[in-house]
Amino acid sequence: MRPGVAGAGAAAGAGAHAGAGAVAGAGAVAGAGTSHAGASHAGPKGGAGSRSWVVVASALAIGAGLGGCQPGSPIDPAADLLVFAEHVWDGTGAAPGGRSLIQVSEGRLLSVTPLPEDGEIAELVAEMVVEANATVRWEGRATVAEYVIPGLINTHGHVGGTWVPGTGVEYGEYAFAELERYARFGVTTVASLGGERGALFGLRDASWDEEGNAAGPAGGTGADPDAARGADAAGAGEAVPPPRARLLVSGPVVTGSTPGEAAGRVDAVAAMGPDWIKIRVDDNLGATRKMTPETYAAVIERAGEHGLRVASHLFYQEDAKGLLRAGTGMVAHSIRDEAVDDETIGLLRETGVCYVPTLTREVSTYAYGERPDFFDDPFLMSDIDSAQVVTLSDPARQARVRASGAAEAYGRALEIAQANLGRLAEADVAIAFGTDSGPPGRFQGYFEHMEMELMAEAGLTAEQILRSATGVAAECLGRDDIGTLEPGRRADFVGLRADPLEDVANLREIVGVWVGGVRVGGAGR
């Protein structure tokens, strides 16, 4: 089924609940009433969630003013955030865990400790907090969640590309807002592959600094980030800017008609300090000239001299083979011209290079020939760039899309891409989650959820999809500090109402997102 043509967003509205429901906490969830883009969140409602809220808050009140943690208490005195979870999936490939205590200190995971399964978790929390003689410092820094998973990682997105000068919004501020939107949808890291300008390099640096997620749009450091830890972060213009997705960048896309010219451009981009080098090896369905094998080989070689890997945009299987032989570090799109063969599978397995599907890229090429079904999905429409909706709904534009042969061709390409993805997953090729979101019509955050549903249609299990977006994605990006819920890693995680291992559509059931242990404002749905 092609999203946007018939039944896009099959789970439309599934996550658009007003209350925080399964998540409760003292202070940490109290801010769940934050509104954004017309969506309101009323906070905990009746049932288990509100009962947990009352019991945890009462326990913290009782513990206030008492001494430090007692010997034998599972609560680490160094922790500044506690998350009591009924179910934890850690992204490592291990079996899901049951009831656990997740402890965070200064933006890093201290521990994930199993808890007794008997009784109500809220009562267990109360007992543990009182036993630990928790002081008033816990107020606002403890929460209860039904399901907790690592934050999602998009290995191929775009940030800042739709910014328009002269609109009254500075480039850095615009990009910062896009990173906030990614985070509200559960995407806590994005690799922006192509076109980033100087301000984004500053945002990138701040997002990985231990205190940098309290840095504002200009990349400077704000007030003490601990002031916002465990609670909904401050809004724009307040002392502590809100947390947002972490960022990796590649700078301008490297081009060149000769090997020497292209290698020189690698030098220029490398001087900017990117995380990747990006190239395009594609003729846009025969409309343009492709970068030659000699030229992309020179780019890959020169990038290696700078200690950088190359992410390669491609379409054709033969180009994928050539790029893999030349040493590309990432196949940044699906092979979409024909079925993958054994040689391609062998090259991917031999090199260990990650294959990034970006299925939703194809959706964006044909979906706007008419009003797409997902424009009726509250999960999208509650947090969207409304100006894009206006542009994409223009009848003249829609007519041009319908008349375009490219739209039809890319629609067929999606079917090939899904079939190839299924075969590569069966062959145990490293699949890294990526969407190519960010350009017009490729809605950041929402398209990540659509991508997962398309991956499921291709035959991948929920666990395979989640691994591609967590542990595997982190490995693909060369990061050993994100992607899993292990001690020492960054405290980037998502709380959910429903089990994502049963159905990836349950990833819409977001009750909270944390980046570096700081709760993302407006993320609850």
Side-chain angles (χ1 to χ4, degrees), residues 315 317-318 321 335-341 416 420:
F315 183 90
Q317 178 161 227
E318 282 306 306
K321 292 177 181 179
I335 293 167
R336 291 160 279 168
D337 65 320
E338 61 183 2
V340 291
D341 59 26
I416 296 170
N420 284 340

Side-chain angles (χ1 to χ4, degrees), residues 83-483:
V83 180
F84 297 88
E86 286 283 11
H87 308 275
V88 174
W89 183 82
D90 67 11
T92 66
R99 184 175 288 179
S100 302
L101 169 61
I102 301 170
Q103 302 191 70
V104 175
S105 177
E106 298 183 351
R108 298 273 180 161
L109 291 163
L110 279 176
S111 61
V112 181
T113 307
L115 296 177
E117 296 287 345
D118 298 335
E120 292 287 334
I121 192 167
E123 294 170 0
L124 176 65
V125 172
E127 179 182 340
M128 289 177 60
V129 172
V130 173
E131 178 184 321
N133 286 342
T135 65
V136 70
R137 73 189 183 90
W138 288 114
E139 188 169 358
R141 298 183 181 184
T143 189
V144 177
E146 186 71 14
Y147 295 88
V148 175
I149 65 169
L152 305 177
I153 301 169
N154 182 1
T155 65
H156 184 170
H158 292 275
V159 175
T162 56
W163 175 72
V164 177
T167 59
V169 179
E170 295 298 323
Y171 175 66
E173 182 182 357
Y174 186 90
F176 192 94
E178 291 189 324
L179 293 171
E180 290 181 281
R181 178 173 287 116
Y182 270 122
R184 289 194 293 268
F185 280 92
V187 180
T188 57
T189 299
V190 57
S192 185
L193 296 182
E196 302 81 35
R197 308 181 191 187
L200 262 66
F201 286 76
L203 287 178
R204 183 273 313 272
D205 294 343
S207 74
W208 296 101
D209 187 279
E210 290 295 350
E211 296 185 356
N213 227 14
T221 302
D224 181 3
D226 192 57
R229 192 174 306 283
D232 279 344
E238 296 186 44
V240 181
R244 74 286 185 189
R246 302 185 192 277
L247 180 64
L248 298 171
V249 295
S250 66
V253 175
V254 169
T255 60
S257 57
T258 68
E261 180 185 7
R265 290 182 178 173
V266 172
D267 294 337
V269 175
M272 299 174 70
D275 302 287
W276 288 80
I277 294 292
K278 172 72 178 296
I279 59 173
R280 292 177 56 87
V281 182
D282 190 1
D283 63 5
N284 297 299
L285 302 178
T288 59
R289 293 183 60 185
K290 280 192 292 189
M291 181 178 280
T292 66
E294 294 78 16
T295 300
Y296 66 63
V299 169
I300 292 168
E301 181 178 0
R302 184 62 61 86
E305 293 171 4
H306 289 286
L308 294 167
R309 290 185 290 168
V310 174
S312 298
H313 169 111
L314 55 80
F315 183 90
Y316 302 100
Q317 178 161 227
E318 282 306 306
D319 292 325
K321 292 177 181 179
L323 285 158
L324 287 165
R325 294 190 191 101
T328 189
M330 179 193 293
V331 173
H333 289 285
S334 287
I335 293 167
R336 291 160 279 168
D337 65 320
E338 61 183 2
V340 291
D341 59 26
D342 291 341
E343 183 183 8
T344 296
I345 292 172
L347 284 166
L348 285 164
R349 287 176 57 88
E350 178 185 341
T351 61
V353 169
C354 291
Y355 182 93
V356 182
T358 66
L359 301 173
T360 46
R361 180 210 175 276
E362 266 51 57
V363 173
S364 72
T365 64
Y366 65 76
Y368 303 111
E370 56 188 24
R371 188 177 188 278
D373 294 341
F374 50 78
F375 277 3
D376 294 320
D377 186 347
F379 187 64
L380 168 64
M381 300 308 290
S382 66
D383 192 351
I384 194 172
D385 179 355
S386 57
Q388 286 197 49
V389 176
V390 172
T391 298
L392 296 168
S393 300
D394 177 58
R397 188 187 190 281
Q398 292 176 342
R400 290 194 298 273
V401 172
R402 290 195 299 271
S404 169
E408 183 179 352
Y410 283 124
R412 293 193 301 269
L414 173 59
E415 297 171 2
I416 296 170
Q418 286 183 288
N420 284 340
L421 176 60
R423 185 173 184 205
L424 292 171
E426 288 179 359
D428 202 27
V429 165
I431 307 296
F433 182 75
T435 63
D436 205 11
S437 60
R442 302 180 200 167
F443 295 103
Q444 293 156 324
Y446 182 79
F447 263 40
E448 280 64 36
H449 289 265
M450 183 191 291
E451 183 83 19
M452 291 191 173
E453 294 180 18
L454 291 171
M455 293 172 77
E457 287 182 14
L460 277 68
T461 67
E463 183 173 13
Q464 286 176 311
I465 296 167
L466 286 170
R467 277 278 290 152
S468 79
T470 54
V472 174
E475 293 169 10
C476 177
L477 294 176
R479 303 291 313 197
D480 61 4
D481 57 346
I482 56 174

